[in-house]
RNA sequence: GGGCGUAUAACUCAGUUGGUUAGAGUAUCGCCUUCACAUGGCGGAAGUCAGAGGUUCGAGUCCUCUUACGCCCACCA
């Protein structure tokens, strides 16, 4: 007998168990060749700030799977860690120092990076702390960061290796450039806003006919100074004959050709486009396709350079006015029409972004994509839900080269050096020196004056190595330092199996990982690239399953974000409702995108409290717990258990099996619904109610206790804290629930007959309860129950257990005599339908009751009519499967039976 | 513009290969606290499964179209 508090006090419990789990180091995976591994790598949260609801969802999903697999007997390794998130983190720190009135240039590279590392320390630690509060059972000693020294080695190694293979090259590229901040911006940093601008129509004259020409339309007329072609759609009848003709660029008098390119939309503007390869991303692509000249007309500060002729020295917007004026005077300006279009602005200073030509590093993606594409096509890697496969394949089919250089300071510095020694510009020293470690001198001219590339690598260029760089690749290389990566069945089975290098490495043991849990928006950025890296560097898939979860939104459907102010902080929920409540509520809502408001977390809080109180009831009433109480044995011995006990045991195992399957199929919300239905709807609402006055029976005690224990195991992956706490009261000696084995599905404990009979009985009880409130049945009134059951066996069971009804006085508050009427041909009876036929006692409202029954009769009649119609249809009988037809026949018979009963009832009322 | 998705009770959503009278939670409305839990119990009401066609003996489920909404990618010369 143990007394527990009335409510689940989650605050102390949450803290206690996250501490205990960590102290006991329960989640640290050992290299254990006797066990199959199950590995998950965390999508490393950005160290930009604290965790949001999306993280809470993402990590809860992973934790459910990991805890489940751990209990299932796998050697589970959930690799935690954080991502340096180059641009994003640099931005937050730049904002921070901006408050001190400084720019990063004021601090200098070294000092600025110190600030970033300080930031990383603070927020990285906070993130890990938050993960622990959430209950995440990560392998904490393995925690990694994408800029750890060994991880950086992996990044450099990869760069050099790809460069040597010819997969990395340096090329020209159009980037977003802020002429005020003098820095490149990523696409994400370019804020696009609709601007009321103008569309300027300008005539470019033919070389051989100054009077005629082609009219082009542009929003940025100043860029015309850099035009090197005019493009039209090859199928455009208006221009087809002009393709290949030469035009003269006004003001500059450069001769340019008319080219044909499918990119041009004949519907837009005049259908002819001026092509400025150095100042527009599309024109850049066209320029490449058609081998056009790239003429840069601006200085980095957007002041026109010498290519601009007379306009040299003026700012881009002044130049626009001046150029329009000149064109107008020279009669080349045809018209100006207002035009709204989207223009990128610098997210910091809101200056209009200039597309600017610059040198960047690229990865050739086509050769890397091939095996990654095939792996998904042939099912070696599966997406859940499956539809994301299409999204992935669609992108991989249209993959483009990856620009990996970034003009920022926070990140992995590009491992490339340039010789700036004497005469470097003249001789081949211009070739970059690509090396994992800093070279002492130029290998070509011997000069020691070398300079490292200023840029850093894209964040994803480190994240794409996450599944194996976290396991110390390339210090440990598969097949070189050990036996190499193994598929599950090839992995060494025993500890002392001889392998090359003397031992099995973590990398070989844990790689490939099992599943990846992530958000849809990074399928391209991250998932696809990890698959490519997996094949390129490990020769194998990085994971087998990819589970894509929904986006967390607020009640209005907006993405949760700090700037919108609609974000709900997971920690706030944990403090107010508990971590279990947060976890449960998030997952139960997680079918697709989640629409979250605070009240939704009450579901989880209430459920945790319900579990707590069920345990409280059981612990208050159990006195003689038999450690060897064996449910399966009891189920098999006849008469060992009463119907409700048989039923609840069977319900548990049925649910267990469904829950296991749901988890395996990544159907987490379904698993929670099943658990809720079983534990609350079956166990608490019925079983515990029924046995309330039978605690003296030790078999009942032990059954309730055992079902509670089993349920705790089943619920643990979803709600680890409350289950762990209760388990510690149940079994002091067994240790943490987190490492208990998952209940074994026992067929002997599944008893469909009992479930069937109980379903009938439950309806019967409901009917009696109903009768009590509706008809004011008095104690000792006699109620006759007419019902039909599927088989004689279940009828026997019912009759045998009819006594239960008498013991339900708490519910019915009446003493009940039951009379069962069994239909002559039981096989044609209807399972699970009960009708109370002869209520005795005073009716509250005869008319109302009559109406109710008449409505029922009408409904029944309609149903029976359509059913008999269907059964009379020869095509149905012929084509439908036999069991369907049989079922329908039984249904009809049941309906008729029920109809009779209702008729009787109404007759009785009159 | 390309790709993907969603539409089921007042709200949030289940509904797995087509086959009982379409389910749950919340909210609402009754009735109920000595007896684990009011973060609770019992019961009621609440649905033209977005609309229109089609396939089928049979459609919430499959196909086509329409409407509305959402996401991702590209683009706005």
């Amino acid at each position: 007998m143990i007394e527990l508090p009335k409510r689940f006090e989650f605050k102390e419990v949450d803290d206690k168990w996250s501490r205990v789990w960590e102290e006991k180091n329960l989640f640290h995976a050992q290299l254990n060749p006797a066990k199959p591994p199950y590995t998950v790598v965390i999508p490393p949260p950005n160290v930009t700030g604290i965790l949001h609801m999306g993280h809470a969802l993402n990590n809860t999903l992973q934790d459910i799977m990991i805890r489940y697999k751990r209990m299932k007997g796998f050697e589970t390794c959930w690799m935690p860690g954080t991502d340096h998130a180059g641009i994003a983190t640099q931005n937050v720190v730049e904002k921070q120092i901006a408050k001190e009135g400084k720019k990063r240039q004021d601090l200098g590279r070294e000092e600025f990076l110190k600030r970033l590392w300080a930031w990383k320390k603070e927020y990285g630690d906070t993130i890990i702390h938050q993960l622990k509060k959430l209950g995440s059972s990560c392998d904490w000693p393995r925690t990694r960061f994408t800029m750890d020294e060994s991880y950086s080695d992996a990044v450099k190694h990869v760069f050099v290796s790809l460069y040597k293979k010819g997969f990395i090259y340096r090329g020209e590229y159009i980037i977003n450039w802020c002429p005020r901040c003098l820095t490149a911006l990523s696409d994400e940093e370019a804020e696009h806003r609709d601007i009321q601008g103008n569309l300027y129509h300008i005539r470019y004259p033919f070389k051989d006919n100054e009077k005629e020409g082609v009219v082009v339309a542009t929003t940025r007329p100043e860029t015309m100074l850099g035009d090197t072609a005019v493009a039209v759609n090859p199928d455009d009848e208006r221009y087809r004959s002009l393709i290949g003709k030469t035009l003269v660029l006004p003001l500059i008098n450069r001769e340019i050709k008319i080219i044909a390119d499918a990119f041009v939309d004949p519907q837009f503007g005049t259908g002819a486009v001026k092509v400025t390869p150095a100042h527009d991303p599309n024109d850049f692509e066209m320029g490449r396709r058609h081998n056009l000249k790239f003429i840069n007309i601006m200085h980095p500060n957007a002041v026109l350079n010498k290519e601009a002729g007379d306009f040299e020295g003026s700012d881009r917007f002044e130049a626009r006015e001046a150029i329009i004026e000149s064109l107008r005077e020279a009669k080349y300006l045809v018209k100006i029409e207002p035009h709204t279009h989207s223009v990128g602005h610098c997210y910091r200073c809101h200056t209009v972004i200039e597309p600017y030509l610059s040198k960047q590093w690229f990865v050739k993606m086509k050769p890397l994509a091939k095996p990654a594409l095939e792996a998904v096509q042939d099912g070696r890697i599966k997406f859940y839900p499956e539809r994301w496969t299409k999204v992935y394949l669609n992108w991989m089919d249209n993959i483009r080269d990856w620009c990996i250089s970034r003009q920022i300071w926070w990140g992995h510095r590009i491992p490339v050096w340039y010789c700036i020694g004497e005469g470097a510009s003249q001789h081949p020293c211009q070739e970059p020196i690509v090396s994992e470690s800093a070279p002492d001198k130029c290998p070509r001219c011997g000069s020691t004056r070398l300079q490292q590339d200023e840029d850093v690598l894209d964040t994803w260029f480190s994240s794409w190595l996450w599944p194996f760089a976290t396991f110390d690749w390339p210090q440990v290389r598969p097949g070189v330092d050990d036996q190499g990566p193994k598929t599950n069945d090839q992995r060494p089975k025993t500890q002392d199996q001889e392998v090359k290098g003397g031992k099995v490495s973590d990398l070989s043991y844990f790689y490939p990982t099992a599943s990846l849990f992530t958000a849809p928006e990074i399928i391209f950025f991250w998932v696809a690239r990890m698959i490519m890296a997996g094949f390129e560097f490990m020769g194998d898939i990085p994971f087998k399953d990819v589970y894509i979860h929904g986006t967390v939104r607020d009640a209005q459907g907006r993405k949760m974000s700090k700037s919108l102010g609609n974000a709900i902080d997971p920690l706030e929920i944990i403090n107010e409702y508990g971590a279990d409540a947060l976890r449960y509520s998030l997952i139960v809502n997680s079918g697709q995108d989640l629409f979250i408001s605070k009240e939704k977390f009450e579901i989880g809080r209430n459920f945790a409290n319900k579990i707590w109180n069920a345990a409280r009831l059981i612990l208050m009433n159990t006195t003689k717990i038999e450690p060897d109480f064996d449910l399966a044995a009891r189920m098999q011995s006849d008469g060992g258990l009463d119907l409700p006990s048989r039923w609840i045991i069977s319900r548990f195992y049925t649910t267990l099996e469904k829950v296991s399957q749901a988890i395996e199929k990544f159907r987490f919300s379904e698993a929670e619904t099943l658990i809720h239905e079983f534990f609350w709807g079956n166990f608490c609402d019925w079983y515990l109610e029924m046995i309330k006055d039978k605690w003296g029976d030790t078999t009942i005690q032990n059954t309730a206790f055992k079902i509670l224990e089993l349920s705790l195991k089943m619920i643990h992956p979803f709600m680890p804290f409350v289950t762990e706490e209760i388990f510690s009261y149940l079994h002091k000696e067994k240790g943490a629930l987190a490492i208990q084995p998952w209940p074994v599905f026992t067929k002997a404990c599944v008893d469909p007959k009992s479930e069937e009979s109980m379903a009938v009985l439950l309806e019967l009880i409901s009917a009696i309860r109903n009768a009590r409130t509706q008809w004011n049945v008095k104690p000792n009134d006699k109620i006759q129950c007419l019902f039909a059951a599927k088989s004689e066996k279940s009828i026997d069971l019912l009759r045998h257990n009819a006594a239960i009804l008498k013991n339900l006085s708490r519910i019915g508050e009446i003493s009940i005599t039951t009379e069962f009427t069994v239909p002559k041909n039981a096989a044609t009876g209807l399972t699970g339908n009960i009708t109370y036929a002869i209520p005795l006692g005073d009716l509250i409202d005869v008319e109302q009751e009559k109406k109710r029954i008449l409505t029922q009769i009408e409904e029944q009649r309609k149903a029976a009519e359509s059913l008999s119609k269907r059964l009379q249809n020869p095509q149905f009988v012929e084509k439908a499967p036999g069991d369907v037809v049989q079922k329908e026949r039984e249904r009809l018979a049941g309906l008729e039976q029920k109809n009779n009963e209702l008729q009787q009832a109404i007759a009785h009322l009159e």
Side-chain angles (χ1 to χ4, degrees), chain A residues 308-359:
Chain A
D310 295 345
F311 302 96
E312 182 181 1
S314 50
D315 174 77
R316 54 182 167 162
F317 295 121
E318 290 165 27
R320 180 177 297 177
E321 298 307 317
I323 285 167
I324 290 304
E325 229 16 76
S326 305
L327 287 170
R328 198 194 305 275
E329 278 164 24
K331 302 259 185 284
Y332 291 122
L333 185 68
V334 178
K335 65 171 171 178
I336 302 176
E337 56 183 19
H339 177 67
T340 308
H341 61 130
S342 168
V343 178
H345 292 71
C346 175
Y347 76 102
R348 270 177 300 198
C349 67
H350 310 294
T351 305
V352 173
I353 285 169
E354 194 62 35
Y356 200 71
L357 199 62
S358 68
K359 282 214 156 175

Side-chain angles (χ1 to χ4, degrees), chain A residues 699-846:
Chain A
T699 304
I700 296 272
Q701 270 192 33
N702 277 285
T703 305
F705 188 88
K706 198 81 192 168
I707 293 294
L708 173 65
E709 183 195 332
L710 288 166
S711 301
L712 291 176
K713 289 183 178 173
M714 181 169 71
I715 303 170
H716 181 260
F718 302 88
M719 307 177 92
F721 294 104
V722 68
T723 50
E724 185 74 82
E725 176 72 5
I726 298 169
F727 190 79
S728 71
Y729 292 106
L730 260 52
H731 294 291
K732 286 244 169 359
E733 75 293 352
K734 280 197 183 174
L737 175 58
I739 51 170
Q740 299 298 316
W742 186 254
V744 178
F745 175 71
T746 313
K747 212 159 176 218
C749 290
V750 176
D751 178 9
K753 284 267 150 56
S754 292
E755 292 204 36
E756 214 172 81
S757 305
M758 195 64 185
V760 176
L761 191 56
L762 295 186
E763 263 198 64
L764 183 56
I765 295 167
S766 289
I768 293 163
R769 280 172 171 169
N770 207 9
R772 191 186 144 268
T773 49
Q774 298 228 354
W775 296 334
N776 195 20
V777 178
K778 290 194 209 79
N780 301 317
D781 282 352
K782 188 177 165 193
I783 294 179
Q784 185 188 32
C785 304
L786 296 174
F787 76 101
K790 205 174 193 174
S791 67
E792 292 292 343
K793 182 94 190 281
S794 57
I795 290 157
D796 283 346
L797 267 169
L798 265 179
R799 187 177 289 132
H800 181 72
N801 288 287
I804 288 166
L805 289 172
K806 291 181 183 164
N807 292 322
L808 285 171
S809 53
R810 268 200 74 255
I811 298 164
E813 287 173 6
I814 47 171
S815 158
I816 297 159
T817 314
T818 341
E819 288 178 9
F820 297 107
T821 308
V822 182
K824 275 199 179 121
N825 181 2
T828 60
L830 184 68
T831 309
N833 280 316
I834 300 273
T835 309
Y836 37 90
I838 310 166
L840 302 175
D842 304 320
L843 298 176
I844 293 168
D845 186 345
V846 177

Side-chain angles (χ1 to χ4, degrees), chain A residues 345-511:
Chain A
H345 292 71
C346 175
Y347 76 102
R348 270 177 300 198
C349 67
H350 310 294
T351 305
V352 173
I353 285 169
E354 194 62 35
Y356 200 71
L357 199 62
S358 68
K359 282 214 156 175
Q360 304 290 338
W361 287 96
F362 291 86
V363 180
K364 276 186 197 164
M365 295 309 265
K366 278 259 148 60
L368 296 176
K370 196 169 172 277
L373 194 60
E374 288 165 357
V376 172
Q377 276 165 340
D378 64 25
R380 272 175 294 158
I381 296 175
K382 284 203 179 74
F383 280 85
Y384 298 83
E386 206 194 333
R387 61 190 161 88
W388 294 106
T389 311
K390 272 192 267 180
V391 176
Y392 172 88
L393 293 176
N394 187 31
W395 187 73
M396 290 294 271
D397 278 334
N398 300 303
I399 196 160
R400 288 203 271 172
D401 285 358
W402 175 17
C403 177
I404 52 169
S405 43
R406 294 288 182 274
Q407 290 69 49
I408 54 171
W409 289 348
W410 177 240
H412 301 276
R413 189 105 175 238
I414 293 178
V416 170
W417 286 260
Y418 305 97
C419 177
I420 50 166
E422 262 172 73
S425 54
Q426 274 93 52
H427 68 75
C429 302
Q430 267 200 312
E431 275 287 301
I433 306 157
V434 178
S435 163
E436 286 187 47
S437 52
D440 324 325
K441 55 178 201 247
C442 173
R444 283 171 285 265
C445 74
S447 165
T448 51
R449 293 187 60 203
L450 302 175
Q451 197 169 48
Q452 189 172 5
D453 195 312
E454 288 295 317
D455 293 351
V456 301
L457 290 160
D458 181 14
T459 293
W460 304 107
F461 194 82
S462 56
S463 334
W464 74 326
L465 313 175
W466 190 248
F468 49 89
T470 46
F471 288 108
D472 299 324
W473 184 89
Q475 282 95 325
V476 177
R477 275 161 304 168
V480 178
D481 301 309
D482 75 356
Q483 224 182 19
K486 296 281 174 289
T487 58
N488 262 335
D489 31 301
Q490 287 173 325
R491 284 183 159 117
K493 294 282 187 277
T494 58
Q495 199 91 44
D496 40 35
Q497 189 167 337
E498 276 294 309
V499 294
K500 203 168 157 187
K503 60 170 190 161
V504 189
S505 67
D506 282 5
L507 184 62
S508 298
Y509 181 63
F510 291 112
Y511 189 95

Side-chain angles (χ1 to χ4, degrees), chain A residues 72-83:
Chain A
K72 273 282 209 179
F74 287 85
E75 187 65 31
T76 49
C77 176
W78 181 12
M79 171 75 68
T82 46
D83 193 307

Side-chain angles (χ1 to χ4, degrees), chain A residues 661-674:
Chain A
Q661 279 170 15
I663 299 174
E664 301 274 2
K665 285 191 241 155
F666 300 91
R667 301 171 69 104
F668 299 101
S669 64
E670 184 179 308
E672 284 198 347
T673 308
L674 286 163

